[in-house]
Amino acid sequence: MPRPRIEDAEDRLLSAGLNLFARLGTERVNSNAIARRARLGIGTFYSHFADKHALLREIQMRTLAGIRGARLDALATASDEPLEQVRASAEAVLRFARSHPEAYRVTFGRERAGASTHGPVVSESSRPIEKALRRLQAAGRIDTSLDPELAARAYLSMEVGTLLWWLEDPGRAEMSALVDTLARMHPALTRA
Amino acid sequence: MPRPRIEDAEDRLLSAGLNLFARLGTERVNSNAIARRARLGIGTFYSHFADKHALLREIQMRTLAGIRGARLDALATASDEPLEQVRASAEAVLRFARSHPEAYRVTFGRERAGASTHGPVVSESSRPIEKALRRLQAAGRIDTSLDPELAARAYLSMEVGTLLWWLEDPGRAEMSALVDTLARMHPALTRA
Amino acid sequence: MPRPRIEDAEDRLLSAGLNLFARLGTERVNSNAIARRARLGIGTFYSHFADKHALLREIQMRTLAGIRGARLDALATASDEPLEQVRASAEAVLRFARSHPEAYRVTFGRERAGASTHGPVVSESSRPIEKALRRLQAAGRIDTSLDPELAARAYLSMEVGTLLWWLEDPGRAEMSALVDTLARMHPALTRA
Amino acid sequence: MPRPRIEDAEDRLLSAGLNLFARLGTERVNSNAIARRARLGIGTFYSHFADKHALLREIQMRTLAGIRGARLDALATASDEPLEQVRASAEAVLRFARSHPEAYRVTFGRERAGASTHGPVVSESSRPIEKALRRLQAAGRIDTSLDPELAARAYLSMEVGTLLWWLEDPGRAEMSALVDTLARMHPALTRA
DNA sequence: AATGAATGAGATTTCATTCAT
DNA sequence: TATGAATGAAATCTCATTCAT
């Protein structure tokens, strides 16, 4: 027996999923729990998402889009001095993570032991950094001995790992200390 | 019907588990599969490990011990110049990861989305780095504006993320480029 | 939002159902799929048929009526020589099956393992044959040792089984060979 | 929590399945019901059969083997007069069906509407009849205008349909009347 | 100690059916 | 009359765990 048309069942499922994933992890959450928390029938879950992982992927895609947008906004405002760019970008991500800690953790948190990577999620994010490094090399602002792909992955891993750690307890460090540290270790601002 | 004492049942289970975890990830491996691959009965599995996660933890502990040992050996040989220490340490871990890629991936690979951290495994590893940074600060070799705990986490995340990415396809980068990059971005060798 | 009265919604549902049943079998077709294939809403399905089985029954009833009509037309034209009657009847059914293979298969195909019969569908069809045999016995044209009900069932099973087999691949046999075989084995034309 | 080693769990599942399939049909029986009726856990079901259909197939294979054996025994005893062969064979199957009515119905009963055939089960059975007809043709005992494959299918459909009808209520006809009718309509004993 | 058949809780997934629009 | 999102009972299947041998 159906209920009256639910306002935005999909959004409710996404936010129920986000909340549960963030609290319990992917493995310990099942489709039933998500539907129940969204106060929807299990059938409704499956009429919106193929399965639990499809919902997870959707959360991650939305989060990545949000971070990408925040980063681009920040970069547009900052001067094109590398230091400024790096700091602005890091700060933008930090602010995003602080205001959407669940989404950040669900998107970048560890997923499977034995999985060799942070997966497509991290790959996608490291690409823009890689491109920026190449641009700086072309402009002669950083040395060409650096492998841009490698350096981008390295920086992103650092950023992600640091933020995940910070989000566990934001009292651990001042935002400014985080930005300082991330900037100081950024490949564009270090030299061989 | 009981069988004669199996030579090294535990080792066989560990290596079967390592292999399966590395290939399929924790979630997609079950205790029966591990026992079967070790050519042992499922009952034997449970007489050696409390459950699948106990076996996984044992693999991780052994791997961490191996890495710690390799790092210490390398540091003992290197001069106490920070650059040398950092490079020697990174190289030791790299060599370890290259010769035990499965163990490295199973130990440091992502586990659960929504888990907020790299878990105790990474915590344990970052502690020695944190101490080394404090020592350098005390010796006046690096500035005190750096938060040692934060910097250690940041560096370790970078190292782990980079190695996991590299292990996916070791052809991606030369070992020397990896060492260069990790060293260049190391908090002990950068300044604000 | 309601839509304008659909032209022949029922016919569209019947032919969508026929097509799907024939291709996938009753079990693997659901009411939603039928409605979708008819390009109608699922609600429309239920305003025309009580459920999936009602639609199936309707298809079968129409098919049986078609076969009965074809048989009667053929018999009316044929001489009342038993051989002629039998051949004309068989040929009529054959032609019908060849031009409506889906309907024939959906009507006479196997339905449930463990169901003890060809169901009411076959019963209904065997009745006229039974009556014809009784008439021939009364007229002294065939021996009375034959049990008309049994013989009718036997013949009909043969006809149905043979046609279903033939429809799988009509290249398997000429229509004339089929008519010859069915006639030769017909109880009215054989003797103890 | 396991129970003591069950004596022949597989046999119990097979007979529970046979009984339920015969009473309710494939569609209305599920793996849980079979396991419950066998007084076994559902897990036990799946450690013996891949699914419900695997169990059904096993029942059918065993039944076919039983019928084949019974037929061969009867033929070995009978004279090689076609009439005798045909009657002996029909009688053997009849006896088998009467003493294993559930197995016969589950093996030959209808399965899926829209399925075009009696499936591999009937194919396998018609092959020996086809061969016997070819032998008779080669020996000049029956005319060569008959298509052996077609005639074998036709006869088998008749035999199966007749027996399924008879098993619904064995009081419907004497065994001798059934044998008479089947023999009378057998392609080896009729002529064009 | 070693075995592996048996177990059943629980996760996933399907689909006939309803009813507010 | 037509619609289709929502529903949840029910079926399928997995796998960690036990324990009699």
Side-chain angles (χ1 to χ4, degrees):
Chain A
M1 47 216 74
R3 296 285 162 70
R5 181 80 169 76
I6 297 269
E7 198 58 45
D8 254 326
E10 196 161 319
D11 283 354
R12 284 169 59 180
L13 287 166
L14 282 167
S15 88
L18 173 57
N19 184 275
L20 289 173
F21 284 146
R23 284 196 292 129
L24 305 171
T26 296
E27 281 180 275
R28 296 168 56 184
V29 171
N30 60 43
S31 46
N32 277 279
I34 297 172
R36 202 177 324 118
R37 170 162 256 267
R39 295 174 168 272
L40 293 169
I42 180 62
T44 308
F45 179 97
Y46 281 97
S47 67
H48 285 274
F49 298 96
D51 58 25
K52 192 174 72 173
H53 296 97
L55 186 145
L56 175 60
R57 247 174 289 131
E58 181 62 23
I59 290 173
Q60 294 178 329
M61 291 306 106
R62 291 183 180 209
T63 304
L64 288 177
I67 290 178
R68 203 183 310 121
R71 229 192 266 264
L72 290 176
D73 286 353
L75 290 173
T77 316
S79 82
D80 57 331
E81 198 54 35
L83 176 62
E84 280 312 297
Q85 297 267 326
V86 163
R87 294 186 62 95
S89 169
E91 200 175 317
V93 178
L94 235 75
R95 287 188 194 287
F96 183 95
R98 194 175 53 180
S99 50
H100 307 89
E102 296 187 330
Y104 193 87
R105 282 157 55 184
V106 167
T107 302
F108 292 102
R110 319 176 87 216
E111 186 149 15
R112 284 166 288 143
S116 51
T117 67
H118 286 270
V121 160
V122 170
S123 294
E124 211 236 306
S125 299
S126 73
R127 204 58 54 84
I129 300 176
E130 184 184 337
K131 282 184 186 157
L133 290 174
R134 284 190 205 285
R135 245 178 286 121
L136 289 168
Q137 283 181 326
R141 317 223 17 180
I142 57 172
D143 55 306
T144 53
S145 67
L146 196 78
D147 174 338
E149 189 186 359
L150 165 56
R153 292 296 293 218
Y155 173 75
L156 195 69
S157 296
M158 178 174 73
E159 186 182 279
V160 166
T162 304
L163 291 198
L164 289 174
W165 168 80
W166 179 58
L167 288 176
E168 278 178 56
D169 172 11
R172 272 173 171 163
E174 294 295 316
M175 256 188 64
S176 62
L178 286 165
V179 173
D180 288 346
T181 305
L182 290 174
R184 163 190 200 144
M185 296 169 68
H186 194 287
L189 303 175
T190 54
R191 52 204 69 252
Chain B
M1 55 212 72
R3 298 288 159 74
R5 181 81 168 76
I6 297 266
E7 200 58 47
D8 267 329
E10 198 162 315
D11 282 356
R12 285 167 60 181
L13 287 166
L14 282 166
S15 92
L18 173 57
N19 185 275
L20 289 173
F21 284 144
R23 283 195 294 132
L24 305 171
T26 296
E27 280 182 277
R28 295 168 56 186
V29 170
N30 60 48
S31 47
N32 279 273
I34 296 172
R36 203 179 323 119
R37 171 163 255 267
R39 295 173 168 274
L40 293 169
I42 178 62
T44 308
F45 179 97
Y46 280 96
S47 67
H48 284 273
F49 296 98
D51 58 25
K52 188 173 73 173
H53 298 96
L55 186 145
L56 176 60
R57 247 173 290 129
E58 180 61 24
I59 290 173
Q60 294 178 329
M61 289 308 107
R62 291 184 180 207
T63 304
L64 289 176
I67 289 178
R68 201 182 312 120
R71 225 191 271 264
L72 290 177
D73 286 353
L75 291 174
T77 316
S79 82
D80 57 330
E81 197 55 36
L83 176 62
E84 279 313 297
Q85 296 268 325
V86 162
R87 294 188 61 96
S89 169
E91 200 175 318
V93 178
L94 236 78
R95 288 190 193 285
F96 183 95
R98 192 174 55 181
S99 48
H100 306 90
E102 296 186 333
Y104 193 88
R105 281 158 56 186
V106 167
T107 302
F108 292 102
R110 293 152 60 81
E111 185 148 18
R112 285 173 287 137
S116 50
T117 66
H118 285 271
V121 160
V122 171
S123 293
E124 210 236 306
S125 299
S126 73
R127 204 58 54 85
I129 301 176
E130 185 184 337
K131 283 183 186 160
L133 290 173
R134 283 191 206 283
R135 245 177 287 121
L136 288 168
Q137 284 181 324
R141 317 231 8 187
I142 58 171
D143 55 304
T144 54
S145 69
L146 197 75
D147 174 337
E149 190 187 357
L150 165 56
R153 292 297 296 214
Y155 172 76
L156 195 69
S157 295
M158 177 175 74
E159 186 183 277
V160 166
T162 304
L163 290 198
L164 289 174
W165 167 80
W166 177 57
L167 288 177
E168 279 178 54
D169 172 10
R172 273 174 170 164
E174 293 294 318
M175 255 187 64
S176 63
L178 288 165
V179 173
D180 289 347
T181 304
L182 291 175
R184 164 190 199 142
M185 296 169 69
H186 194 285
L189 304 174
T190 54
R191 52 204 68 253
Chain C
M1 56 211 73
R3 299 287 160 72
R5 181 83 166 78
I6 296 268
E7 200 59 48
D8 267 330
E10 198 162 316
D11 283 355
R12 285 167 59 181
L13 287 166
L14 282 166
S15 92
L18 173 56
N19 184 276
L20 289 173
F21 284 144
R23 283 194 294 132
L24 305 171
T26 296
E27 279 181 279
R28 295 168 57 185
V29 171
N30 60 48
S31 47
N32 279 273
I34 297 172
R36 201 176 326 117
R37 171 163 256 267
R39 294 171 169 274
L40 293 169
I42 179 61
T44 309
F45 179 97
Y46 281 96
S47 68
H48 285 273
F49 296 96
D51 59 24
K52 188 174 73 172
H53 297 98
L55 185 145
L56 176 60
R57 247 174 288 129
E58 181 61 23
I59 290 173
Q60 293 178 329
M61 291 307 108
R62 291 185 181 206
T63 304
L64 288 177
I67 290 177
R68 200 183 312 120
R71 227 192 269 267
L72 289 176
D73 287 353
L75 290 174
T77 316
S79 82
D80 57 332
E81 197 55 36
L83 177 61
E84 279 313 298
Q85 296 268 325
V86 162
R87 293 186 61 94
S89 167
E91 200 174 316
V93 178
L94 236 75
R95 288 189 193 287
F96 183 95
R98 193 175 54 180
S99 48
H100 306 90
E102 295 187 332
Y104 193 88
R105 281 158 55 186
V106 168
T107 303
F108 292 103
R110 291 152 60 83
E111 185 145 19
R112 285 174 288 136
S116 51
T117 66
H118 285 271
V121 160
V122 170
S123 294
E124 210 237 305
S125 298
S126 75
R127 205 56 55 84
I129 300 176
E130 184 183 337
K131 282 185 184 153
L133 289 173
R134 285 192 204 285
R135 244 178 285 121
L136 289 168
Q137 283 182 325
R141 316 239 356 198
I142 57 171
D143 55 304
T144 54
S145 68
L146 197 77
D147 174 337
E149 189 185 358
L150 165 56
R153 291 296 295 217
Y155 173 76
L156 194 68
S157 295
M158 178 174 73
E159 187 182 276
V160 166
T162 304
L163 290 198
L164 288 174
W165 168 80
W166 178 59
L167 288 177
E168 278 178 55
D169 173 11
R172 272 174 170 164
E174 294 294 318
M175 256 187 65
S176 63
L178 286 166
V179 173
D180 288 348
T181 304
L182 290 174
R184 165 193 198 142
M185 294 170 70
H186 194 286
L189 303 174
T190 54
R191 51 205 70 255
Chain D
M1 49 217 79
R3 296 285 163 70
R5 182 79 170 76
I6 297 268
E7 199 58 46
D8 254 326
E10 195 160 319
D11 283 356
R12 283 168 60 179
L13 287 165
L14 282 166
S15 88
L18 172 57
N19 184 277
L20 289 172
F21 284 145
R23 285 196 291 132
L24 305 171
T26 295
E27 279 181 278
R28 297 169 55 185
V29 171
N30 60 42
S31 46
N32 276 282
I34 297 172
R36 203 177 324 119
R37 169 163 258 268
R39 294 173 168 272
L40 293 168
I42 180 62
T44 308
F45 180 97
Y46 281 99
S47 68
H48 285 274
F49 297 97
D51 59 25
K52 192 174 73 175
H53 296 97
L55 187 145
L56 175 61
R57 247 174 288 130
E58 180 62 23
I59 290 173
Q60 293 178 329
M61 290 307 108
R62 291 183 180 209
T63 305
L64 288 177
I67 291 178
R68 201 183 312 121
R71 227 193 268 265
L72 289 177
D73 286 353
L75 291 174
T77 316
S79 82
D80 57 329
E81 199 53 36
L83 177 61
E84 279 313 297
Q85 297 266 326
V86 162
R87 294 186 61 96
S89 168
E91 200 175 318
V93 178
L94 235 75
R95 288 189 193 287
F96 183 95
R98 192 174 53 179
S99 48
H100 307 89
E102 296 187 331
Y104 193 89
R105 282 157 55 186
V106 167
T107 302
F108 293 102
R110 317 176 88 217
E111 187 149 15
R112 282 167 291 143
S116 51
T117 67
H118 286 270
V121 160
V122 170
S123 294
E124 211 238 305
S125 298
S126 73
R127 203 58 54 85
I129 301 176
E130 184 183 337
K131 282 183 185 157
L133 290 173
R134 283 190 207 284
R135 244 177 287 121
L136 289 168
Q137 283 180 325
R141 319 232 5 189
I142 58 173
D143 56 304
T144 54
S145 67
L146 196 77
D147 173 338
E149 190 186 358
L150 165 56
R153 290 298 293 217
Y155 173 76
L156 194 69
S157 295
M158 177 174 74
E159 187 182 277
V160 165
T162 305
L163 290 199
L164 288 175
W165 168 79
W166 178 59
L167 288 176
E168 279 179 54
D169 173 11
R172 271 172 171 165
E174 294 294 317
M175 258 188 63
S176 63
L178 286 166
V179 173
D180 288 348
T181 304
L182 290 174
R184 166 191 196 142
M185 295 169 70
H186 195 286
L189 304 175
T190 53
R191 51 206 69 256

